[in-house]
Amino acid sequence: MIRFALLLFALFGFSGLLSARTVRSGSSQVYRSYRPARVTIAVEDKETKDPLIGATVSIINRTDTLRGTTAKEDFYRTLAVYKCDRIFRDSVDLEVTYIGYKPYKKRFAATEFRSRIEVKMEVDEQSIAQVVVVGKQIAMVFKGDTTVYNAGAFKTLADDRFEELLKQLPGVEIKDNKILAGGEEVKRVLIDGKNFFGNKSQYALTDLEASDVKSVRVYEELSPEAKRQGNTTARKEKVMDVETKSKRSVLQGGNLEASIGASLEKDYSGRREIRHSEAGTYYRNSEKGNWRIEASNQKDDNSQAENASFNSKLTPTKQTDARAEYTYRRGDSTLVSTTVDFQRRRQSSVSRSMTEYFPTDDYALRTEESSGESLSKNLSGSLSNLTSIQRKKNTFFAMTDIRFDSGDSYSRSATSRRIDNDETRTHLNNDSDNRNLSFNIRLNYYISLSKRSSLSFWIIGDYGTQDQNGWQIDTTASVQGLQVKLRNNGDGRRYGFETSVDYGYKVGENVRFSTSYSFKRGYDRSKMLAIDFLGDPQGELDLVNSYSYTNDSYSHNLRANLNYGRDGLWIMGALTGSVHRIARDERFPERQRFPRTFYQLSPWFNLTAGSSSRRFNLNIISQSQMISTESLRSTLDATNPLSLRAGNPDLKLPNDITGSVGITFNNAPKARNVWFNFNGGYTFNYIASQRILFLEETYLPQYDYTAQKGAQLSTQTNVEGCYKLGGMFGFSQQISSLRSTVNAGIDYNFQQTPYFLEETLYHSGRHALSFRAGFESGFSSKVKISVSSVTSMSSYSAQNSNTQDLREMVRARLDLRFGKYFASVANAYEFYCNSNSKAQTRHNVILNAAAGRKFGKENRLGISLGVVDILNRPDYASTVFETDYMRTSSVSYLGRYGYLRMAYTF
């Protein structure tokens, strides 16, 4: 009996051990199911392998029918499974359905319906592009952690590019030619799962037709580099996969266009300008690489007139650009890219501004008015190459860039400074010539030491020259000591290099530790020889405007990183210790040296949690601002006798501590995206400028220099009390009844900044609030409407001063396309005012219009007539607040002209 009891006990204990398994974290899980699953059905996307959680599973037998949905299960990867514990003696029909996929149906014999069955679901084009719910197409759906946008729910015009479609997708933005999804940059754009653009995702905006797009998938995955290196703790990057109707293996095309026009009003010189532009583009994109050739020659930028460009040049600009780029790819293992670039510019401008300083007890009113005209010419060219080779888990990367710049400029400027009833005037003429040559190289080698450890080396070098000469003449200064007639001749050299080594070790499956050391060295030398011809016709050396110095700096950095990543949770932290040494050697007029050494410790922390539907982000960073050697000088810079500058050798490094919290919600069934962000920061050892105004001629013994009446001496010192707070809210949603997308947002920022008036420290405060809203129509392929509005208000308070300003901008655009005929009308309205000056109040209204016709069977040729700025010539005003002054300026734009444009697309 005792033996029998011991045997039963051993059997039960052994069965308990068999029912436990160890997961990746090392803990054990015990399954106490009294009816173990006979069949496990795993459902996933056939192409992407994404688990389809929530798929409907139906098991149909002659005697019974079972229905349920797949649930999430974590094994070696995330799965979507449905478990059945029934045993069937007859054949079984298995049916699986999921929104956006073709139904799966298959009959299994009783002996086949056992163990594990994997169901591969295929995307249903009809379901994605034409699913109708109460007569309305579905705009977006979730497939696991993937967001799928249905292109059929958004209408675009016949000739629209991919960029116009992206503007309508909720949660997707285009900023600075970059695609953002949920506030994060899209690193790669794929076409039907193929890499057509490499790291140049911006080409998809213009090279892909909107009408060829079926659906757009946005998801996250490890970068190709992280996959190759086995770095599972790396932060996943945003990827956009565009499914097309044509399924082309090569995406190629281009266009040729030319326009000619005439100004309908005279410019500041009393002439009417003839404007023209010629441009051409050819591109070819495939998995193996890219060809891209672009060239343009124009007098003013008429190419954007039909698209309602509201930033007309001050005066017509002559410019020529040419660019050729070739990229070769072999999968993700080899990349070679070469680019040749050429630019030529000729531009003239007129400017005017007024500065009002906040008063002190020493003077009741201080103002500064300046106006100027300039003409500049520039010629530049560059040759760059990027090579990346990956073999197994080793990577070699090299990038080189050679650039040449040659330019000359001529300017005239008039400045009037008033203090109480005293006035100082200067009238400068500058003529300068510049030549620059630069060379940069970056080398990197990554080697995998084992399955868990790796080593990486970086070498960066740069070299550059700068030669300059010219004249500076002023013969109308109201103060004799301010008059100059100088010939300047100078040159400069710079070089620097940086090297670093990084060691990484993978701890377990989800944690990676790395440490790195880097050394950086920089050296530059500048010389200027100024000859004064005002007092001596033969010329004599000007000691104030001549100089010769070198800046020499180096730094050591030691950094430790710890990363954790698993199932939608990424935690990254780093701590960096640095030593910086900066030295400046003055060789003229006498030898002096100003060395300084700084130490700093900079922590960094980032936490990201959630999926594409809900995401939380926390970021905290501390970093120091390097101080320029100019600010550390103890000598006086009197190049401009009215604006004297002196450094402070005792300055401490400013340190910024900033933090931000962001939350994003993505509601696919309602095609809605909402996000919040809160941020703040504080600067320790903030560097504030201290300005001293001399109301009479004053000798400065510490610099052995006599300051002119009306001159201002600027020095710098460390103070405390600089902080900022802010918050942002964004909203984007498709209105299904209108098949259009609306977006709105609110931004608020507050900043307190220390500043000096003479020797007294004050604090200024600035509140800024802005509202933005937009509408992008998607209800018709013949009519397109776009409206955007931005309202910004700010309040600036300083000692004995409080100023508010308001700016409202509204832009609207209507595009029509009926058969071969097209037209566009665009309107912009701007209102600006500030509480200090009614004269600065502006109401600007611009109306641009164009109409034309397409020709040919495929409508490749288009001819149009248009007028830019047919209502008025606007004056744009702005106010800039700084520590102890406020500067207001207005600019008159020469815009009104008519044009004829011809364009051919191939």
Side-chain angles (χ1 to χ4, degrees), residues 255-261 275-281 294-303 319-321 902:
N255 63 79
L256 297 171
E257 64 178 55
S259 66
I260 185 169
R275 307 183 177 210
H276 63 87
S277 69
E278 304 82 32
T281 301
E294 301 174 332
S296 66
N297 179 60
Q298 53 197 11
K299 187 175 183 180
D300 206 13
D301 190 2
N302 289 348
S303 62
Q319 56 190 64
T320 301
D321 296 271
M902 181 180 296

Short mmCIF file of all heavy atoms in Angstrom, two decimals, residues 255-261 275-281 294-303 319-321 902:
data_model
loop_
_atom_site.label_atom_id
_atom_site.label_comp_id
_atom_site.label_asym_id
_atom_site.label_seq_id
_atom_site.Cartn_x
_atom_site.Cartn_y
_atom_site.Cartn_z
N ASN A 255 9.60 65.06 -66.50
CA ASN A 255 8.83 66.14 -67.08
C ASN A 255 9.76 67.22 -67.60
O ASN A 255 10.91 67.36 -67.15
CB ASN A 255 7.85 66.72 -66.05
CG ASN A 255 8.57 67.34 -64.86
OD1 ASN A 255 9.08 68.45 -64.93
ND2 ASN A 255 8.64 66.60 -63.76
N LEU A 256 9.24 67.99 -68.56
CA LEU A 256 9.90 69.16 -69.10
C LEU A 256 8.92 70.31 -69.02
O LEU A 256 7.73 70.13 -69.33
CB LEU A 256 10.31 68.93 -70.56
CG LEU A 256 11.33 67.82 -70.82
CD1 LEU A 256 11.47 67.59 -72.31
CD2 LEU A 256 12.68 68.16 -70.21
N GLU A 257 9.37 71.47 -68.60
CA GLU A 257 8.47 72.61 -68.50
C GLU A 257 9.23 73.91 -68.74
O GLU A 257 10.44 74.00 -68.53
CB GLU A 257 7.79 72.65 -67.14
CG GLU A 257 8.72 72.86 -65.97
CD GLU A 257 7.97 72.93 -64.65
OE1 GLU A 257 7.22 71.99 -64.34
OE2 GLU A 257 8.14 73.94 -63.95
N ALA A 258 8.49 74.89 -69.22
CA ALA A 258 9.06 76.21 -69.47
C ALA A 258 7.95 77.24 -69.32
O ALA A 258 6.78 76.96 -69.60
CB ALA A 258 9.67 76.28 -70.87
N SER A 259 8.31 78.43 -68.85
CA SER A 259 7.33 79.50 -68.71
C SER A 259 8.00 80.83 -68.98
O SER A 259 9.22 80.98 -68.81
CB SER A 259 6.72 79.49 -67.30
OG SER A 259 7.70 79.81 -66.33
N ILE A 260 7.20 81.77 -69.42
CA ILE A 260 7.69 83.12 -69.65
C ILE A 260 6.60 84.09 -69.20
O ILE A 260 5.41 83.83 -69.37
CB ILE A 260 8.05 83.35 -71.14
CG1 ILE A 260 8.67 84.75 -71.32
CG2 ILE A 260 6.83 83.15 -72.04
CD1 ILE A 260 9.29 84.95 -72.68
N GLY A 261 7.01 85.18 -68.59
CA GLY A 261 6.04 86.13 -68.07
C GLY A 261 6.64 87.52 -67.98
O GLY A 261 7.83 87.73 -68.21
N ARG A 275 10.27 87.70 -66.88
CA ARG A 275 10.57 86.53 -66.06
C ARG A 275 10.44 85.27 -66.89
O ARG A 275 9.58 85.17 -67.76
CB ARG A 275 9.63 86.48 -64.86
CG ARG A 275 9.61 87.78 -64.06
CD ARG A 275 8.72 87.66 -62.85
NE ARG A 275 8.77 88.88 -62.06
CZ ARG A 275 8.61 88.91 -60.75
NH1 ARG A 275 8.39 87.80 -60.08
NH2 ARG A 275 8.66 90.05 -60.08
N HIS A 276 11.26 84.29 -66.58
CA HIS A 276 11.21 83.04 -67.35
C HIS A 276 11.78 81.91 -66.50
O HIS A 276 12.49 82.14 -65.51
CB HIS A 276 12.01 83.17 -68.65
CG HIS A 276 13.48 83.40 -68.42
ND1 HIS A 276 14.39 82.39 -68.24
CD2 HIS A 276 14.18 84.57 -68.32
CE1 HIS A 276 15.58 82.89 -68.06
NE2 HIS A 276 15.50 84.22 -68.09
N SER A 277 11.49 80.70 -66.88
CA SER A 277 12.06 79.52 -66.22
C SER A 277 12.01 78.34 -67.16
O SER A 277 11.09 78.21 -67.99
CB SER A 277 11.30 79.19 -64.92
OG SER A 277 9.99 78.74 -65.21
N GLU A 278 13.02 77.48 -67.08
CA GLU A 278 13.08 76.23 -67.83
C GLU A 278 13.56 75.15 -66.87
O GLU A 278 14.51 75.37 -66.10
CB GLU A 278 14.06 76.33 -69.01
CG GLU A 278 13.78 77.45 -69.99
CD GLU A 278 14.32 78.80 -69.53
OE1 GLU A 278 15.37 78.80 -68.85
OE2 GLU A 278 13.69 79.84 -69.83
N ALA A 279 12.93 73.99 -66.92
CA ALA A 279 13.29 72.92 -65.98
C ALA A 279 12.99 71.57 -66.59
O ALA A 279 12.10 71.43 -67.44
CB ALA A 279 12.55 73.09 -64.65
N GLY A 280 13.74 70.58 -66.17
CA GLY A 280 13.51 69.21 -66.61
C GLY A 280 13.95 68.22 -65.55
O GLY A 280 14.89 68.46 -64.79
N THR A 281 13.25 67.09 -65.50
CA THR A 281 13.55 66.05 -64.52
C THR A 281 13.37 64.67 -65.17
O THR A 281 12.42 64.46 -65.92
CB THR A 281 12.62 66.14 -63.29
OG1 THR A 281 12.75 67.40 -62.68
CG2 THR A 281 12.96 65.06 -62.27
N GLU A 294 18.22 66.24 -62.69
CA GLU A 294 17.40 67.45 -62.57
C GLU A 294 18.20 68.65 -63.04
O GLU A 294 19.39 68.76 -62.73
CB GLU A 294 16.94 67.66 -61.13
CG GLU A 294 16.12 66.55 -60.55
CD GLU A 294 15.82 66.72 -59.07
OE1 GLU A 294 16.64 67.38 -58.39
OE2 GLU A 294 14.80 66.22 -58.61
N ALA A 295 17.54 69.53 -63.79
CA ALA A 295 18.20 70.76 -64.24
C ALA A 295 17.15 71.85 -64.36
O ALA A 295 16.00 71.59 -64.75
CB ALA A 295 18.90 70.54 -65.58
N SER A 296 17.55 73.09 -64.03
CA SER A 296 16.62 74.22 -64.15
C SER A 296 17.41 75.50 -64.34
O SER A 296 18.54 75.62 -63.88
CB SER A 296 15.73 74.33 -62.90
OG SER A 296 16.51 74.66 -61.76
N ASN A 297 16.79 76.41 -65.07
CA ASN A 297 17.36 77.74 -65.27
C ASN A 297 16.19 78.72 -65.23
O ASN A 297 15.20 78.54 -65.96
CB ASN A 297 18.07 77.84 -66.60
CG ASN A 297 18.64 79.24 -66.83
OD1 ASN A 297 19.46 79.71 -66.05
ND2 ASN A 297 18.19 79.90 -67.88
N GLN A 298 16.26 79.72 -64.38
CA GLN A 298 15.10 80.57 -64.22
C GLN A 298 15.48 81.97 -63.75
O GLN A 298 16.51 82.17 -63.10
CB GLN A 298 14.11 79.95 -63.23
CG GLN A 298 14.73 79.56 -61.91
CD GLN A 298 13.85 78.59 -61.15
OE1 GLN A 298 12.90 78.06 -61.68
NE2 GLN A 298 14.19 78.37 -59.90
N LYS A 299 14.66 82.88 -64.16
CA LYS A 299 14.72 84.24 -63.64
C LYS A 299 13.44 84.43 -62.85
O LYS A 299 12.37 84.64 -63.42
CB LYS A 299 14.81 85.27 -64.76
CG LYS A 299 15.03 86.68 -64.26
CD LYS A 299 15.23 87.64 -65.41
CE LYS A 299 15.52 89.05 -64.88
NZ LYS A 299 15.71 90.00 -65.98
N ASP A 300 13.56 84.29 -61.56
CA ASP A 300 12.44 84.16 -60.63
C ASP A 300 11.86 82.76 -60.76
O ASP A 300 12.06 82.06 -61.73
CB ASP A 300 11.37 85.23 -60.84
CG ASP A 300 10.61 85.47 -59.53
OD1 ASP A 300 11.08 85.00 -58.49
OD2 ASP A 300 9.57 86.12 -59.57
N ASP A 301 11.14 82.35 -59.76
CA ASP A 301 10.64 80.99 -59.66
C ASP A 301 9.19 80.93 -60.14
O ASP A 301 8.26 80.92 -59.36
CB ASP A 301 10.76 80.49 -58.22
CG ASP A 301 10.48 79.00 -58.11
OD1 ASP A 301 10.25 78.38 -59.15
OD2 ASP A 301 10.51 78.48 -56.99
N ASN A 302 8.99 80.87 -61.45
CA ASN A 302 7.64 80.79 -61.99
C ASN A 302 7.08 79.37 -61.94
O ASN A 302 5.89 79.17 -62.17
CB ASN A 302 7.61 81.27 -63.45
CG ASN A 302 7.83 82.77 -63.55
OD1 ASN A 302 7.78 83.46 -62.55
ND2 ASN A 302 8.08 83.27 -64.74
N SER A 303 7.92 78.40 -61.70
CA SER A 303 7.44 77.02 -61.73
C SER A 303 6.37 76.75 -60.70
O SER A 303 5.56 75.85 -60.84
CB SER A 303 8.62 76.06 -61.51
OG SER A 303 9.20 76.29 -60.23
N GLN A 319 18.86 82.09 -61.36
CA GLN A 319 19.49 80.92 -60.76
C GLN A 319 19.50 79.75 -61.74
O GLN A 319 18.58 79.56 -62.52
CB GLN A 319 18.78 80.51 -59.47
CG GLN A 319 17.29 80.26 -59.63
CD GLN A 319 16.61 80.11 -58.28
OE1 GLN A 319 16.57 81.05 -57.49
NE2 GLN A 319 16.09 78.93 -58.03
N THR A 320 20.57 78.98 -61.68
CA THR A 320 20.73 77.78 -62.50
C THR A 320 21.14 76.63 -61.58
O THR A 320 22.05 76.79 -60.75
CB THR A 320 21.81 77.99 -63.57
OG1 THR A 320 21.44 79.09 -64.40
CG2 THR A 320 21.95 76.75 -64.44
N ASP A 321 20.46 75.52 -61.72
CA ASP A 321 20.74 74.34 -60.89
C ASP A 321 20.83 73.11 -61.78
O ASP A 321 20.05 72.96 -62.74
CB ASP A 321 19.64 74.11 -59.85
CG ASP A 321 19.54 75.25 -58.86
OD1 ASP A 321 20.22 75.19 -57.84
OD2 ASP A 321 18.77 76.19 -59.12
N MET A 902 4.18 75.99 -70.27
CA MET A 902 4.01 74.76 -71.03
C MET A 902 4.77 73.64 -70.32
O MET A 902 5.92 73.82 -69.92
CB MET A 902 4.54 74.93 -72.46
CG MET A 902 4.38 73.69 -73.34
SD MET A 902 5.02 73.96 -75.02
CE MET A 902 3.90 75.23 -75.58
#
